[in-house]
mmCIF file of all heavy atoms in Angstrom:
data_model
loop_
_atom_site.group_PDB
_atom_site.id
_atom_site.type_symbol
_atom_site.label_atom_id
_atom_site.label_comp_id
_atom_site.label_asym_id
_atom_site.label_seq_id
_atom_site.Cartn_x
_atom_site.Cartn_y
_atom_site.Cartn_z
ATOM 1 N N TYR F 312 70.583 -62.462 68.397
ATOM 2 C CA TYR F 312 70.738 -62.004 67.015
ATOM 3 C C TYR F 312 72.135 -61.427 66.678
ATOM 4 O O TYR F 312 72.771 -60.951 67.681
ATOM 5 C CB TYR F 312 69.655 -60.830 66.678
ATOM 6 C CG TYR F 312 69.770 -59.679 67.500
ATOM 7 C CD1 TYR F 312 70.476 -58.493 66.938
ATOM 8 C CD2 TYR F 312 69.153 -59.512 68.735
ATOM 9 C CE1 TYR F 312 70.514 -57.328 67.776
ATOM 10 C CE2 TYR F 312 69.237 -58.459 69.431
ATOM 11 C CZ TYR F 312 69.938 -57.249 69.097
ATOM 12 O OH TYR F 312 70.038 -56.234 69.819
ATOM 13 N N PHE F 313 72.577 -61.674 65.555
ATOM 14 C CA PHE F 313 73.925 -61.248 65.116
ATOM 15 C C PHE F 313 73.990 -60.922 63.622
ATOM 16 O O PHE F 313 73.045 -61.248 62.979
ATOM 17 C CB PHE F 313 74.952 -62.236 65.509
ATOM 18 C CG PHE F 313 74.699 -63.677 64.981
ATOM 19 C CD1 PHE F 313 75.220 -63.945 63.594
ATOM 20 C CD2 PHE F 313 74.160 -64.565 65.576
ATOM 21 C CE1 PHE F 313 75.117 -65.117 63.056
ATOM 22 C CE2 PHE F 313 73.906 -65.897 65.047
ATOM 23 C CZ PHE F 313 74.378 -66.131 63.689
ATOM 24 N N ARG F 314 75.002 -60.174 63.199
ATOM 25 C CA ARG F 314 75.147 -59.778 61.848
ATOM 26 C C ARG F 314 76.526 -60.219 61.317
ATOM 27 O O ARG F 314 77.474 -60.154 62.090
ATOM 28 C CB ARG F 314 75.067 -58.235 61.764
ATOM 29 C CG ARG F 314 74.364 -57.742 60.662
ATOM 30 C CD ARG F 314 73.888 -56.369 60.712
ATOM 31 N NE ARG F 314 74.849 -55.374 61.028
ATOM 32 C CZ ARG F 314 75.451 -54.564 60.117
ATOM 33 N NH1 ARG F 314 75.073 -54.564 58.789
ATOM 34 N NH2 ARG F 314 76.374 -53.762 60.569
ATOM 35 N N VAL F 315 76.594 -60.525 60.155
ATOM 36 C CA VAL F 315 77.768 -61.160 59.568
ATOM 37 C C VAL F 315 78.018 -60.383 58.179
ATOM 38 O O VAL F 315 77.287 -60.210 57.472
ATOM 39 C CB VAL F 315 77.700 -62.674 59.225
ATOM 40 C CG1 VAL F 315 78.971 -63.233 58.754
ATOM 41 C CG2 VAL F 315 77.038 -63.407 60.350
ATOM 42 N N ALA F 316 79.354 -59.881 58.155
ATOM 43 C CA ALA F 316 79.638 -59.055 56.980
ATOM 44 C C ALA F 316 80.519 -59.894 55.907
ATOM 45 O O ALA F 316 81.493 -60.593 56.367
ATOM 46 C CB ALA F 316 80.565 -57.860 57.478
ATOM 47 N N PHE F 317 80.003 -59.865 54.788
ATOM 48 C CA PHE F 317 80.843 -60.599 53.649
ATOM 49 C C PHE F 317 81.310 -59.595 52.687
ATOM 50 O O PHE F 317 80.738 -58.586 52.162
ATOM 51 C CB PHE F 317 79.663 -61.458 52.818
ATOM 52 C CG PHE F 317 79.125 -62.602 53.504
ATOM 53 C CD1 PHE F 317 78.058 -62.363 54.544
ATOM 54 C CD2 PHE F 317 79.544 -63.801 53.390
ATOM 55 C CE1 PHE F 317 77.651 -63.373 55.336
ATOM 56 C CE2 PHE F 317 78.978 -64.925 54.134
ATOM 57 C CZ PHE F 317 78.020 -64.730 55.040
ATOM 58 N N LYS F 318 82.537 -59.856 52.344
ATOM 59 C CA LYS F 318 83.209 -59.002 51.335
ATOM 60 C C LYS F 318 82.715 -59.345 49.952
ATOM 61 O O LYS F 318 82.082 -60.449 49.751
ATOM 62 C CB LYS F 318 84.770 -59.197 51.476
ATOM 63 C CG LYS F 318 85.187 -60.543 50.911
ATOM 64 C CD LYS F 318 86.759 -60.638 50.718
ATOM 65 C CE LYS F 318 87.139 -61.910 50.090
ATOM 66 N NZ LYS F 318 88.545 -62.058 49.644
ATOM 67 N N PRO F 319 82.968 -58.534 49.044
ATOM 68 C CA PRO F 319 82.574 -58.979 47.646
ATOM 69 C C PRO F 319 83.410 -60.167 47.096
ATOM 70 O O PRO F 319 84.528 -60.304 47.489
ATOM 71 C CB PRO F 319 82.893 -57.657 46.708
ATOM 72 C CG PRO F 319 83.872 -56.862 47.507
ATOM 73 C CD PRO F 319 83.471 -57.248 48.922
ATOM 74 N N VAL F 320 82.749 -61.079 46.351
ATOM 75 C CA VAL F 320 83.469 -62.176 45.732
ATOM 76 C C VAL F 320 84.730 -61.661 45.046
ATOM 77 O O VAL F 320 84.634 -60.578 44.328
ATOM 78 C CB VAL F 320 82.545 -63.029 44.776
ATOM 79 C CG1 VAL F 320 83.314 -63.998 44.034
ATOM 80 C CG2 VAL F 320 81.324 -63.477 45.531
ATOM 81 N N ALA F 321 85.838 -62.404 45.196
ATOM 82 C CA ALA F 321 87.122 -61.943 44.587
ATOM 83 C C ALA F 321 87.260 -62.142 43.032
ATOM 84 O O ALA F 321 87.796 -61.466 42.369
ATOM 85 C CB ALA F 321 88.291 -62.456 45.386
ATOM 86 N N THR F 322 86.558 -63.274 42.712
ATOM 87 C CA THR F 322 86.640 -63.454 41.113
ATOM 88 C C THR F 322 85.715 -62.537 40.365
ATOM 89 O O THR F 322 84.562 -62.515 40.453
ATOM 90 C CB THR F 322 86.140 -64.992 40.873
ATOM 91 O OG1 THR F 322 86.951 -65.815 41.662
ATOM 92 C CG2 THR F 322 86.457 -65.290 39.445
ATOM 93 N N LEU F 323 86.359 -61.706 39.538
ATOM 94 C CA LEU F 323 85.653 -60.852 38.721
ATOM 95 C C LEU F 323 85.584 -61.455 37.336
ATOM 96 O O LEU F 323 86.503 -62.030 36.770
ATOM 97 C CB LEU F 323 86.302 -59.490 38.654
ATOM 98 C CG LEU F 323 86.666 -58.873 40.021
ATOM 99 C CD1 LEU F 323 87.254 -57.467 39.921
ATOM 100 C CD2 LEU F 323 85.408 -58.781 40.922
ATOM 101 N N LEU F 324 84.516 -61.135 36.488
ATOM 102 C CA LEU F 324 84.406 -61.524 35.110
ATOM 103 C C LEU F 324 84.961 -60.136 34.324
ATOM 104 O O LEU F 324 84.208 -59.738 33.327
ATOM 105 C CB LEU F 324 83.083 -62.012 34.693
ATOM 106 C CG LEU F 324 82.729 -63.274 35.545
ATOM 107 C CD1 LEU F 324 81.397 -63.882 35.108
ATOM 108 C CD2 LEU F 324 83.942 -64.420 35.387
ATOM 109 N N GLN F 325 85.948 -59.654 34.800
ATOM 110 C CA GLN F 325 86.646 -58.556 34.218
ATOM 111 C C GLN F 325 88.019 -58.803 34.055
ATOM 112 O O GLN F 325 88.562 -59.713 34.751
ATOM 113 C CB GLN F 325 86.556 -57.222 35.114
ATOM 114 C CG GLN F 325 85.162 -56.763 35.473
ATOM 115 C CD GLN F 325 85.277 -55.487 36.362
ATOM 116 O OE1 GLN F 325 86.350 -55.321 37.057
ATOM 117 N NE2 GLN F 325 84.280 -54.821 36.437
ATOM 118 N N LYS F 326 88.782 -57.992 33.282
ATOM 119 C CA LYS F 326 90.216 -58.229 33.332
ATOM 120 C C LYS F 326 90.802 -57.641 34.602
ATOM 121 O O LYS F 326 90.298 -56.612 35.128
ATOM 122 C CB LYS F 326 90.867 -57.381 32.177
ATOM 123 C CG LYS F 326 90.673 -58.291 30.892
ATOM 124 C CD LYS F 326 91.492 -57.824 29.687
ATOM 125 C CE LYS F 326 91.297 -58.663 28.512
ATOM 126 N NZ LYS F 326 91.429 -57.995 27.247
ATOM 127 N N GLN F 327 91.817 -58.340 35.074
ATOM 128 C CA GLN F 327 92.420 -57.971 36.320
ATOM 129 C C GLN F 327 94.002 -58.493 36.283
ATOM 130 O O GLN F 327 94.235 -59.432 35.734
ATOM 131 C CB GLN F 327 91.764 -58.783 37.463
ATOM 132 C CG GLN F 327 91.249 -57.976 38.637
ATOM 133 C CD GLN F 327 90.719 -58.821 39.774
ATOM 134 O OE1 GLN F 327 90.532 -58.301 40.866
ATOM 135 N NE2 GLN F 327 90.582 -60.130 39.648
ATOM 136 N N ASP F 328 94.795 -57.767 37.058
ATOM 137 C CA ASP F 328 96.163 -58.265 37.170
ATOM 138 C C ASP F 328 96.249 -59.349 38.126
ATOM 139 O O ASP F 328 95.820 -59.327 39.295
ATOM 140 C CB ASP F 328 97.067 -56.962 37.773
ATOM 141 C CG ASP F 328 97.342 -55.996 36.726
ATOM 142 O OD1 ASP F 328 97.022 -56.348 35.411
ATOM 143 O OD2 ASP F 328 97.980 -55.001 37.039
ATOM 144 N N VAL F 329 96.999 -60.370 37.654
ATOM 145 C CA VAL F 329 97.233 -61.506 38.622
ATOM 146 C C VAL F 329 98.720 -61.724 38.713
ATOM 147 O O VAL F 329 99.480 -61.344 37.889
ATOM 148 C CB VAL F 329 96.546 -62.824 38.024
ATOM 149 C CG1 VAL F 329 94.954 -62.687 37.900
ATOM 150 C CG2 VAL F 329 97.049 -63.242 36.778
ATOM 151 N N LEU F 330 99.106 -62.500 39.669
ATOM 152 C CA LEU F 330 100.519 -62.917 39.811
ATOM 153 C C LEU F 330 100.760 -64.302 39.328
ATOM 154 O O LEU F 330 99.975 -65.195 39.505
ATOM 155 C CB LEU F 330 100.892 -62.975 41.303
ATOM 156 C CG LEU F 330 102.315 -63.294 41.805
ATOM 157 C CD1 LEU F 330 103.266 -62.154 41.302
ATOM 158 C CD2 LEU F 330 102.276 -63.335 43.297
#
Side-chain angles (χ1 to χ4, degrees):
Chain F
Y312 60 97
F313 58 83
R314 211 159 65 99
V315 187
F317 291 79
K318 69 166 188 173
V320 174
T322 305
L323 310 184
L324 299 182
Q325 298 180 342
K326 281 195 175 147
Q327 235 189 167
D328 281 354
V329 302
L330 178 67

